[in-house]
PDB file of all heavy atoms in Angstrom:
ATOM      1  N   LEU W 328      10.561  -0.293   9.169  1.00 90.00           N
ATOM      2  CA  LEU W 328       9.712  -0.995  10.116  1.00 90.00           C
ATOM      3  C   LEU W 328       8.755  -0.132  10.809  1.00 90.00           C
ATOM      4  O   LEU W 328       7.587  -0.462  11.047  1.00 90.00           O
ATOM      5  CB  LEU W 328      10.667  -1.698  11.165  1.00 90.00           C
ATOM      6  CG  LEU W 328      11.446  -2.861  10.840  1.00 90.00           C
ATOM      7  CD1 LEU W 328      12.371  -3.241  11.983  1.00 90.00           C
ATOM      8  CD2 LEU W 328      10.529  -4.008  10.584  1.00 90.00           C
ATOM      9  N   GLU W 329       9.082   1.149  11.120  1.00 86.00           N
ATOM     10  CA  GLU W 329       8.211   2.047  11.880  1.00 86.00           C
ATOM     11  C   GLU W 329       7.092   2.502  10.971  1.00 86.00           C
ATOM     12  O   GLU W 329       5.944   2.608  11.380  1.00 86.00           O
ATOM     13  CB  GLU W 329       9.079   3.293  12.353  1.00 86.00           C
ATOM     14  CG  GLU W 329      10.147   2.840  13.389  1.00 86.00           C
ATOM     15  CD  GLU W 329      10.896   4.052  13.887  1.00 86.00           C
ATOM     16  OE1 GLU W 329      10.836   5.060  13.090  1.00 86.00           O
ATOM     17  OE2 GLU W 329      11.456   4.049  14.953  1.00 86.00           O
ATOM     18  N   SER W 330       7.378   2.886   9.695  1.00 79.00           N
ATOM     19  CA  SER W 330       6.404   3.463   8.861  1.00 79.00           C
ATOM     20  C   SER W 330       5.351   2.323   8.440  1.00 79.00           C
ATOM     21  O   SER W 330       4.203   2.528   8.137  1.00 79.00           O
ATOM     22  CB  SER W 330       7.019   3.931   7.617  1.00 79.00           C
ATOM     23  OG  SER W 330       7.781   3.072   6.850  1.00 79.00           O
ATOM     24  N   ALA W 331       5.831   0.997   8.439  1.00 81.00           N
ATOM     25  CA  ALA W 331       4.966  -0.088   7.952  1.00 81.00           C
ATOM     26  C   ALA W 331       4.181  -0.655   9.161  1.00 81.00           C
ATOM     27  O   ALA W 331       3.403  -1.656   8.994  1.00 81.00           O
ATOM     28  CB  ALA W 331       5.817  -1.239   7.300  1.00 81.00           C
ATOM     29  N   GLY W 332       4.487  -0.180  10.378  1.00 84.00           N
ATOM     30  CA  GLY W 332       3.711  -0.620  11.602  1.00 84.00           C
ATOM     31  C   GLY W 332       4.212  -1.948  12.119  1.00 84.00           C
ATOM     32  O   GLY W 332       3.485  -2.586  12.784  1.00 84.00           O
ATOM     33  N   MET W 333       5.466  -2.273  11.721  1.00 90.00           N
ATOM     34  CA  MET W 333       5.995  -3.654  12.233  1.00 90.00           C
ATOM     35  C   MET W 333       6.956  -3.487  13.381  1.00 90.00           C
ATOM     36  O   MET W 333       7.531  -4.537  13.975  1.00 90.00           O
ATOM     37  CB  MET W 333       6.668  -4.342  11.034  1.00 90.00           C
ATOM     38  CG  MET W 333       5.846  -4.633   9.965  1.00 90.00           C
ATOM     39  SD  MET W 333       6.720  -5.607   8.606  1.00 90.00           S
ATOM     40  CE  MET W 333       7.602  -4.277   7.742  1.00 90.00           C
ATOM     41  N   ILE W 334       7.162  -2.202  13.795  1.00 91.00           N
ATOM     42  CA  ILE W 334       8.204  -2.066  14.881  1.00 91.00           C
ATOM     43  C   ILE W 334       7.781  -2.692  16.179  1.00 91.00           C
ATOM     44  O   ILE W 334       8.648  -3.075  17.017  1.00 91.00           O
ATOM     45  CB  ILE W 334       8.598  -0.406  14.982  1.00 91.00           C
ATOM     46  CG1 ILE W 334       9.838  -0.349  15.785  1.00 91.00           C
ATOM     47  CG2 ILE W 334       7.387   0.272  15.651  1.00 91.00           C
ATOM     48  CD1 ILE W 334      11.104  -0.883  15.154  1.00 91.00           C
ATOM     49  N   GLU W 335       6.568  -2.650  16.510  1.00 90.00           N
ATOM     50  CA  GLU W 335       6.113  -3.217  17.823  1.00 90.00           C
ATOM     51  C   GLU W 335       6.411  -4.673  17.916  1.00 90.00           C
ATOM     52  O   GLU W 335       6.995  -5.168  18.964  1.00 90.00           O
ATOM     53  CB  GLU W 335       4.673  -2.898  18.042  1.00 90.00           C
ATOM     54  CG  GLU W 335       4.324  -1.475  18.263  1.00 90.00           C
ATOM     55  CD  GLU W 335       2.774  -1.366  18.688  1.00 90.00           C
ATOM     56  OE1 GLU W 335       2.247  -2.333  19.207  1.00 90.00           O
ATOM     57  OE2 GLU W 335       2.288  -0.200  18.451  1.00 90.00           O
ATOM     58  N   GLU W 336       6.187  -5.379  16.912  1.00 92.00           N
ATOM     59  CA  GLU W 336       6.287  -6.840  16.864  1.00 92.00           C
ATOM     60  C   GLU W 336       7.861  -7.085  16.842  1.00 92.00           C
ATOM     61  O   GLU W 336       8.218  -8.052  17.776  1.00 92.00           O
ATOM     62  CB  GLU W 336       5.722  -7.445  15.582  1.00 92.00           C
ATOM     63  CG  GLU W 336       5.824  -9.044  15.557  1.00 92.00           C
ATOM     64  CD  GLU W 336       5.118  -9.579  14.406  1.00 92.00           C
ATOM     65  OE1 GLU W 336       4.789  -8.862  13.469  1.00 92.00           O
ATOM     66  OE2 GLU W 336       5.108 -10.925  14.297  1.00 92.00           O
ATOM     67  N   VAL W 337       8.667  -6.463  16.170  1.00 94.00           N
ATOM     68  CA  VAL W 337      10.140  -6.736  16.100  1.00 94.00           C
ATOM     69  C   VAL W 337      10.676  -6.180  17.375  1.00 94.00           C
ATOM     70  O   VAL W 337      11.668  -6.865  17.977  1.00 94.00           O
ATOM     71  CB  VAL W 337      10.763  -5.983  14.938  1.00 94.00           C
ATOM     72  CG1 VAL W 337      12.218  -6.152  15.001  1.00 94.00           C
ATOM     73  CG2 VAL W 337      10.150  -6.509  13.625  1.00 94.00           C
ATOM     74  N   GLY W 338      10.117  -5.079  17.965  1.00 93.00           N
ATOM     75  CA  GLY W 338      10.730  -4.613  19.234  1.00 93.00           C
ATOM     76  C   GLY W 338      10.414  -5.568  20.393  1.00 93.00           C
ATOM     77  O   GLY W 338      11.291  -5.832  21.228  1.00 93.00           O
ATOM     78  N   LEU W 339       9.269  -6.176  20.398  1.00 93.00           N
ATOM     79  CA  LEU W 339       9.003  -7.188  21.424  1.00 93.00           C
ATOM     80  C   LEU W 339       9.965  -8.399  21.338  1.00 93.00           C
ATOM     81  O   LEU W 339      10.336  -8.971  22.266  1.00 93.00           O
ATOM     82  CB  LEU W 339       7.518  -7.685  21.306  1.00 93.00           C
ATOM     83  CG  LEU W 339       7.074  -8.644  22.409  1.00 93.00           C
ATOM     84  CD1 LEU W 339       7.219  -8.019  23.742  1.00 93.00           C
ATOM     85  CD2 LEU W 339       5.635  -8.950  22.145  1.00 93.00           C
ATOM     86  N   TRP W 340      10.136  -8.824  20.070  1.00 96.00           N
ATOM     87  CA  TRP W 340      11.141  -9.993  19.821  1.00 96.00           C
ATOM     88  C   TRP W 340      12.468  -9.569  20.235  1.00 96.00           C
ATOM     89  O   TRP W 340      13.217 -10.347  20.965  1.00 96.00           O
ATOM     90  CB  TRP W 340      11.202 -10.163  18.288  1.00 96.00           C
ATOM     91  CG  TRP W 340      12.325 -11.311  17.949  1.00 96.00           C
ATOM     92  CD1 TRP W 340      12.185 -12.599  17.906  1.00 96.00           C
ATOM     93  CD2 TRP W 340      13.690 -10.910  17.665  1.00 96.00           C
ATOM     94  NE1 TRP W 340      13.362 -13.168  17.630  1.00 96.00           N
ATOM     95  CE2 TRP W 340      14.309 -12.177  17.451  1.00 96.00           C
ATOM     96  CE3 TRP W 340      14.391  -9.706  17.496  1.00 96.00           C
ATOM     97  CZ2 TRP W 340      15.696 -12.231  17.125  1.00 96.00           C
ATOM     98  CZ3 TRP W 340      15.758  -9.869  17.249  1.00 96.00           C
ATOM     99  CH2 TRP W 340      16.341 -11.037  16.980  1.00 96.00           C
ATOM    100  N   ALA W 341      13.028  -8.389  20.029  1.00 96.00           N
ATOM    101  CA  ALA W 341      14.283  -7.830  20.509  1.00 96.00           C
ATOM    102  C   ALA W 341      14.424  -7.856  22.040  1.00 96.00           C
ATOM    103  O   ALA W 341      15.390  -8.329  22.616  1.00 96.00           O
ATOM    104  CB  ALA W 341      14.634  -6.483  19.902  1.00 96.00           C
ATOM    105  N   LEU W 342      13.279  -7.432  22.769  1.00 96.00           N
ATOM    106  CA  LEU W 342      13.294  -7.393  24.075  1.00 96.00           C
ATOM    107  C   LEU W 342      13.408  -8.817  24.666  1.00 96.00           C
ATOM    108  O   LEU W 342      14.199  -9.018  25.629  1.00 96.00           O
ATOM    109  CB  LEU W 342      11.950  -6.725  24.626  1.00 96.00           C
ATOM    110  CG  LEU W 342      11.792  -6.683  26.167  1.00 96.00           C
ATOM    111  CD1 LEU W 342      12.721  -5.757  26.830  1.00 96.00           C
ATOM    112  CD2 LEU W 342      10.365  -6.197  26.399  1.00 96.00           C
ATOM    113  N   ASN W 343      12.731  -9.756  24.131  1.00 96.00           N
ATOM    114  CA  ASN W 343      12.760 -11.135  24.627  1.00 96.00           C
ATOM    115  C   ASN W 343      14.164 -11.733  24.343  1.00 96.00           C
ATOM    116  O   ASN W 343      14.736 -12.401  25.268  1.00 96.00           O
ATOM    117  CB  ASN W 343      11.750 -12.090  23.863  1.00 96.00           C
ATOM    118  CG  ASN W 343      10.405 -12.095  24.563  1.00 96.00           C
ATOM    119  OD1 ASN W 343      10.225 -12.703  25.633  1.00 96.00           O
ATOM    120  ND2 ASN W 343       9.394 -11.322  24.013  1.00 96.00           N
TER     121      ASN W 343
END
Side-chain angles (χ1 to χ4, degrees):
L328 282 176
E329 292 179 341
S330 63
M333 295 183 283
I334 192 65
E335 288 188 27
E336 185 180 9
V337 176
L339 184 60
W340 172 88
L342 177 65
N343 271 287

